[in-house]
Amino acid sequence: MLNFFKEVFKKGELRRKVVFTLGILFVFRLGAGIVIPYIDTSAITSAATSSGIFGIMNMLGGGTLEKFSLFSLGVSPYITSSIIIELLSMDVIPALAQWNKEGNTGKKKKDKVTRVLTLALAIIQGGSLTYAFDKGYSILASSSIWTYVYVVIVMAAGSMFTMWLGDQITIKGVGNGTSLLIFTGIVANLPNSFISSFKSMVTFGSAYKTATSLAWYILFVIVYLAIVVFVVFEEGAIRKIPIIYATNTQTVMHTKESTNLPIKINSSSVIPVIFAASVLAAPRTIISFMKSTSTTQMIDNILNYQKPIGFVLYIVMIILFTFFYSNLQIDAKKISEDLKKSGGAIPGVRTGDDTKKYIGTVLNRVTVVGSLFLAIIASIPIIAPEIWKMTSNNALSLGGTGLIIVTGVALETVRAIKSMLTRREYHGYIRK
């Protein structure tokens, strides 16, 4: 590990990229700690931002929502707009579908539309959150229209600036900027989560009571580390489909070069968990600000994934969204067409429709394992409080969305750095 860091900072270009990335992350955390003027954060209870859709947004922002900081919206509007544009690009809107076929030029056009939609969503989300929290907890010093406008403008500007910071890391730094911002926010809250878990789980009194509660906390930490190992193993698991390419040169006729097409067990990452939680949480969030009736209570109980019916719905939706998003990420038809154009083929499988069906079948089979994995990880925050008496916020930090994001981004960033190190070493062999 020490040699790895030594190699990173030994290379001049890589060192500048790493330092630049750390500088941007510092700016992000600095802005995350500055509260928006006219906001009374003491009026916001921890329960308000630890459940429902608020809990998801608070986690993705690294706890910025519960502080109503300059970056309280984080990259949530950008993520949402990116998903919407990708879904609309699936032959829903012809122009977007055409841009997909235009390569880098089409990508730039889609990026512009995504940014415009991000601004619109940031304004809508900022206004909705400000209104909801002010009505529920009276967080504004003055509930005038101008105060609302001011707070919404600051929140939208903060979201756009956060998106820009992520872009700068992607272009000039190391790794994916948006992912690293989310990663930084979640990791920054981990020490507080462990400390609060220790305070809630360990009871000092008699020697037996203290030792027992301490043993439960140690077991909690061991389980946490075991889950990390499990997630790391799953994130690196792939199914390789062999590919052969026929070549035809003047010296060697019909030579075959072999490679493989890697398909991740979990190609949809954490998106299905966020989708499922958001779909269930959005109606509950709206209901929470309505007058309580027997109907609203019944709906709340059905959609509450900490209750049996809601839990089953939650797991089923995660599995369905995993299949949907995996097939969205990996287009079997496009892959089969590209293989046919480049002279590639899967051994024993005909090119064209047979190749498309084969890739689709393999993808669906490995997605079964990936969806079950996501369901298990997502159920940990729900099951954990039944074993360890802790708050839901600590349980959220234990597993589920946050842990998958942190582990996945860490592995991706390390791979990117190693790739840069290898490239620099190869350059050292080149003599001009």
Side-chain angles (χ1 to χ4, degrees):
M1 181 63 72
L2 291 176
N3 289 333
F4 175 73
F5 283 109
K6 188 184 296 183
E7 289 296 322
V8 168
F9 286 95
K10 185 185 295 183
K11 310 294 182 180
E13 181 183 352
L14 183 56
R15 180 175 63 248
R16 286 191 292 271
K17 286 179 176 291
V18 171
V19 172
F20 178 82
T21 301
L22 293 176
I24 294 293
L25 295 179
F26 174 77
V27 173
F28 173 70
R29 291 309 303 167
L30 186 65
I34 301 175
V35 180
I36 298 174
Y38 304 113
I39 296 291
D40 180 15
T41 55
S42 61
I44 305 174
T45 63
S46 60
T49 55
S50 63
S51 61
I53 198 168
F54 294 146
I56 299 171
M57 293 181 64
N58 190 49
M59 183 206 63
L60 292 178
T64 55
L65 181 58
E66 64 186 2
K67 302 172 186 176
F68 255 81
S69 69
L70 297 179
F71 301 151
S72 52
L73 292 180
V75 292
S76 295
Y78 177 67
I79 294 174
T80 305
S81 63
S82 298
I83 294 173
I84 292 173
I85 294 299
E86 287 299 324
L87 292 176
L88 293 178
S89 299
M90 298 174 60
D91 295 329
V92 177
I93 297 180
L96 293 176
Q98 179 61 33
W99 291 348
N100 273 341
K101 303 175 183 178
E102 295 179 2
N104 192 45
T105 303
K107 185 178 180 299
K108 290 181 179 179
K109 294 177 182 178
K110 282 177 62 178
D111 286 343
K112 290 180 180 179
V113 175
T114 302
R115 279 160 171 70
V116 173
L117 183 58
T118 299
L119 178 59
L121 289 176
I123 294 172
I124 293 172
Q125 289 183 8
S128 305
L129 289 172
T130 304
Y131 178 80
F133 275 91
D134 187 47
K135 289 298 180 183
Y137 306 99
S138 301
I139 62 171
L140 293 180
S142 172
S143 298
S144 66
I145 184 64
W146 297 113
T147 305
Y148 273 105
V149 171
Y150 175 80
V151 172
V152 171
I153 289 176
V154 172
M155 293 177 74
S159 180
M160 297 303 292
F161 184 65
T162 303
M163 182 185 68
W164 181 82
L165 291 177
D167 287 342
Q168 295 306 302
I169 292 177
T170 303
I171 297 171
K172 303 177 182 178
V174 177
N176 182 282
T178 302
S179 300
L180 279 173
L181 293 180
I182 299 174
F183 169 88
T184 305
I186 296 174
V187 170
N189 281 345
L190 280 181
N192 289 332
S193 296
F194 276 105
I195 293 172
S196 58
S197 296
F198 179 85
K199 291 179 179 178
S200 62
M201 293 175 64
V202 178
T203 305
F204 294 97
S206 62
Y208 174 78
K209 195 173 184 179
T210 303
T212 303
S213 60
L214 188 60
W216 274 107
Y217 179 74
I218 293 173
L219 181 60
F220 163 80
V221 176
I222 293 174
V223 170
Y224 186 95
L225 296 176
I227 295 171
V228 172
V229 174
F230 179 49
V231 173
V232 170
F233 174 77
E234 194 277 339
E235 284 292 317
I238 59 174
R239 165 71 160 85
K240 294 181 180 180
I241 299 178
I243 305 292
I244 56 174
Y245 291 92
T247 60
N248 188 359
T249 64
Q250 294 179 354
T251 56
V252 182
M253 301 296 292
H254 302 295
T255 303
K256 292 185 178 180
E257 298 178 355
S258 62
T259 180
N260 60 73
L261 172 67
I263 296 181
K264 292 184 63 176
I265 297 297
N266 179 25
S267 56
S268 58
S269 187
V270 76
I271 297 298
V273 179
I274 298 176
F275 270 17
S278 299
V279 170
L280 291 177
R284 292 187 63 217
T285 303
I286 296 172
I287 289 173
S288 66
F289 293 101
M290 296 171 59
K291 185 178 179 181
S292 179
T293 62
S294 58
T295 304
T296 57
Q297 289 178 359
M298 180 185 69
I299 296 174
D300 184 74
N301 288 330
I302 292 175
L303 298 179
N304 186 355
Y305 51 68
Q306 293 180 335
K307 301 290 179 66
I309 298 177
F311 180 75
V312 173
L313 286 174
Y314 183 50
I315 298 301
V316 170
M317 290 179 68
I318 288 175
I319 294 173
L320 293 177
F321 278 134
T322 302
F323 277 91
F324 171 77
Y325 202 75
S326 294
N327 282 275
L328 179 64
Q329 289 289 96
I330 300 176
D331 190 344
K333 181 179 179 180
K334 187 175 186 302
I335 293 174
S336 64
E337 290 176 353
D338 291 342
L339 286 175
K340 189 175 182 178
K341 291 176 182 177
S342 59
I346 300 173
V349 181
R350 292 182 178 179
T351 58
D353 288 340
D354 288 349
T355 299
K356 172 189 170 184
K357 292 177 182 177
Y358 181 82
I359 295 174
T361 301
V362 173
L363 175 62
N364 288 329
R365 285 177 179 174
V366 299
T367 302
V368 170
V369 180
S371 63
L372 293 177
F373 159 79
L374 282 180
I376 292 172
I377 294 297
S379 64
I380 290 174
I382 303 171
I383 298 174
E386 301 299 325
I387 303 174
W388 291 279
K389 301 302 178 182
M390 66 182 85
T391 63
S392 59
N393 188 42
N394 293 328
L396 184 65
S397 297
L398 170 66
T401 317
L403 190 56
I404 300 174
I405 292 174
V406 168
T407 308
V409 173
L411 291 174
E412 179 187 347
T413 305
V414 170
R415 281 195 292 265
I417 293 175
K418 287 184 176 179
S419 175
M420 292 180 182
L421 282 173
T422 305
R423 188 164 63 247
R424 293 296 298 172
E425 288 175 1
Y426 284 148
H427 286 174
Y429 289 105
I430 299 175
R431 296 288 184 270
K432 295 183 179 180

